[in-house]
Amino acid sequence: SSFSSSSSSSSKSVRLSTRATTRERGRTRRRLNKIRLVADSKKNDGEEEEETDFESKKDAWSSSSSSSSKAKDDDDTIGQQQQQFIIENVVSSPLFYVTFGVALGVVLVQKFGSNASLLFSALPVVLLTCVSKSDLGDGLREQARKAKEADEGGTEGGREGRERMRALAKAKFPMYFGKERGRWMPRKSVSFFSGGDSDDDASSSFMFPSYLDGTLAGDAQFDPLRLSDTEEKRRRNVELELLHGRWAMLAVVGVCVPEILSRSGALELSEPIWWKIGEKVLEGIDVNYLGIEGFHIAGASGIIGIAFCQAVLMGGPEYARYVGIESLEPVGVYLPGDTNYPGGGPFDPFNLSADAERDVELRVSEVKHGRLAMIAMLGVFAQAFVTREGPVANVLEFF
């Protein structure tokens, strides 16, 4: 019994000792696992920090590279815009040639003689051709293409959108467009020739053709010879009327202003009468242009030189007019208008056509002034032939 009790106590002590050892091992294992987890956590944090640092450096490098690339692209874009501005507002601008172009011609002629005018005449066409064939021309052509796409995709809807806006604007000017517009004869005469009382009767008469429906600027329903009875003929005649009217407006100013300046004493001219200048050139007498000594504009080269200069000067614009509205796109100039009203920097430098109502009204004014100028030039020709005087002298004699 005593042995049994002792054995039982010994066994119990062994079990308690084993349990204590097991618990100690468990605690040790848990401490080791905790230490391992802490070490792993610190290791992962270090790797993440390294990755974050690498990514931040990579982003900074990419941002710096992108900023540098963007700055370079911006510089290239600004450079192309400056080049396009020079070409659009200088090389291909008619306004430049009647201002600074004349001053440049004076310098060239006075420095190199009257034959320099031949070189000056060919300079614009040669310069534009060289630009269009160069790498610069490729960049400018691409820029013109982007400008065209931006215009067509813009809020105005490109050429078609502006045409719709002009059509709406015409409704605000019934005195110029539509059935209520003025005809080339009074309304009572309209009814008399039509054989009826209504505008419909008038429109169907021989004196007032129906195909002139009041949509064109300056349409007074006048075409007794039926010269514009088809769409193609109307388009062509509108173009020719504008062309001749614009030349006539320039011509009236050109024949009157020199005579006015000479008579008023504002400018001393060797010959102020327009038709006598040609006579002097044929006689071999040099005539100073604008009264500037030595500035002859091919005058010293004789009639052959003048004809050559005119052919060169007008050859480029006439070819561009033949090609159409896209003629200046190879040198980066996008013209947003149409054949008769190209618009853009060269032909609308003050952007007067931006307002549809103003554009419509100015088109009517241009047609009216062009028609008056053509009649005026016809009178100038007739008076010069009959009176052998200039137009200003004829007007003064009348009063």
Side-chain angles (χ1 to χ4, degrees), residues 11-240:
S11 176
K12 185 177 180 180
S13 298
V14 170
R15 286 196 299 270
L16 289 173
S17 177
T18 302
R19 288 176 182 174
T21 302
T22 303
R23 284 195 297 269
E24 184 64 26
R25 287 177 178 174
R27 284 193 294 270
T28 302
R29 191 180 296 111
R30 284 193 295 273
R31 283 196 298 270
L32 291 173
N33 289 335
K34 186 180 291 185
I35 292 171
R36 191 179 296 111
L37 289 172
V38 171
D40 290 342
S41 176
K42 290 182 177 180
K43 182 179 179 181
N44 291 335
D45 291 342
E47 290 178 353
E48 289 179 359
E49 288 179 0
E50 289 180 359
E51 290 181 1
T52 303
D53 187 46
F54 175 75
E55 290 295 333
S56 63
K57 290 181 179 179
K58 182 179 178 182
D59 292 341
W61 179 81
S62 299
S63 176
S64 176
S65 176
S66 175
S67 299
S68 176
S69 176
K70 184 178 180 181
K72 184 178 179 181
D73 292 341
D74 290 342
D75 290 341
D76 292 341
T77 301
I78 292 173
Q80 289 182 347
Q81 289 176 348
Q82 291 174 345
Q83 293 164 350
Q84 185 181 18
F85 177 83
I86 293 173
I87 291 176
E88 184 172 336
N89 295 279
V90 178
V91 180
S92 59
S93 173
L95 186 62
F96 168 78
Y97 290 109
V98 298
T99 54
F100 298 103
V102 173
L104 180 60
V106 172
V107 174
L108 286 175
V109 172
Q110 289 183 337
K111 187 174 180 60
F112 300 104
S114 60
N115 289 328
S117 57
L118 302 178
L119 175 64
F120 179 67
S121 301
L123 187 60
V125 176
V126 173
L127 183 58
L128 289 173
T129 303
C130 292
V131 169
S132 66
K133 301 297 182 182
S134 64
D135 294 336
L136 172 62
D138 294 337
L140 293 173
R141 191 180 300 108
E142 179 64 18
Q143 194 165 346
R145 184 188 65 80
K146 291 180 180 179
K148 184 176 182 180
E149 291 178 353
D151 179 43
E152 292 177 350
T155 56
E156 292 184 354
R159 294 188 178 106
E160 294 182 358
R162 285 188 290 273
E163 189 61 37
R164 288 193 295 269
M165 293 175 63
R166 281 191 291 269
L168 294 175
K170 289 177 181 179
K172 298 183 178 182
F173 298 96
M175 72 290 290
Y176 300 140
F177 302 96
K179 291 184 177 182
E180 298 299 322
R181 72 191 186 282
R183 274 30 176 228
W184 65 281
M185 294 184 69
R187 288 193 175 275
K188 291 183 179 180
S189 300
V190 172
S191 301
F192 173 77
F193 281 106
S194 64
D197 297 326
S198 66
D199 282 344
D200 292 335
D201 293 332
S203 297
S204 61
S205 70
F206 176 79
M207 298 297 292
F208 307 95
S210 59
Y211 52 80
L212 297 178
D213 54 3
T215 57
L216 297 174
D219 177 11
Q221 216 169 2
F222 178 77
D223 188 20
L225 301 180
R226 295 299 191 270
L227 300 177
S228 301
D229 56 355
T230 66
E231 182 65 28
E232 180 61 26
K233 289 180 180 179
R234 278 196 300 278
R235 184 198 64 78
R236 178 61 175 164
N237 287 336
V238 167
E239 180 181 355
L240 292 177

